[in-house]
Amino acid sequence: MRPLKHPSVKDITVEGILHALSDPVRVQIFMEIANAECPKICASFSTIHGREMAKSTLSQHFSVLREAGLIHSERQ
């Protein structure tokens, strides 16, 4: 399994953060993670705004948030 790539602090940009948060689904995912008292699993985001989300779509959203430096993901 390939390791997940996370940016270093010096590689995080305002533009990257704004791009990541330009999608309402990613904003919802980020808000839920930021407000959570414990880590969340990806499956807990299968429904957002009352819509079922495909695993591939969720994976892409998590990737954009991770590459912007907004979330940290790990595989288990």
Side-chain angles (χ1 to χ4, degrees):
M1 207 180 304
R2 288 184 307 170
L4 297 171
K5 294 183 180 179
H6 295 87
S8 66
V9 174
K10 66 179 180 160
D11 293 330
I12 296 173
T13 64
V14 172
E15 292 86 359
I17 292 171
L18 292 176
H19 168 71
L21 296 177
S22 67
D23 185 286
V25 171
R26 289 194 292 267
V27 170
Q28 184 66 35
I29 291 170
F30 178 72
M31 287 176 46
E32 286 187 34
I33 291 172
N35 291 325
E37 294 182 15
C38 60
K40 298 189 69 115
I41 60 171
C42 296
S44 64
F45 298 99
S46 62
T47 303
I48 297 178
H49 295 300
R51 288 183 3 186
E52 277 292 313
M53 302 297 290
K55 288 181 183 180
S56 59
T57 303
L58 278 176
S59 179
Q60 179 61 30
H61 286 309
F62 289 129
S63 177
V64 171
L65 290 168
R66 187 176 54 252
E67 290 169 3
L70 292 170
I71 64 171
H72 181 85
S73 304
E74 51 185 64
R75 291 187 172 124
Q76 292 187 358

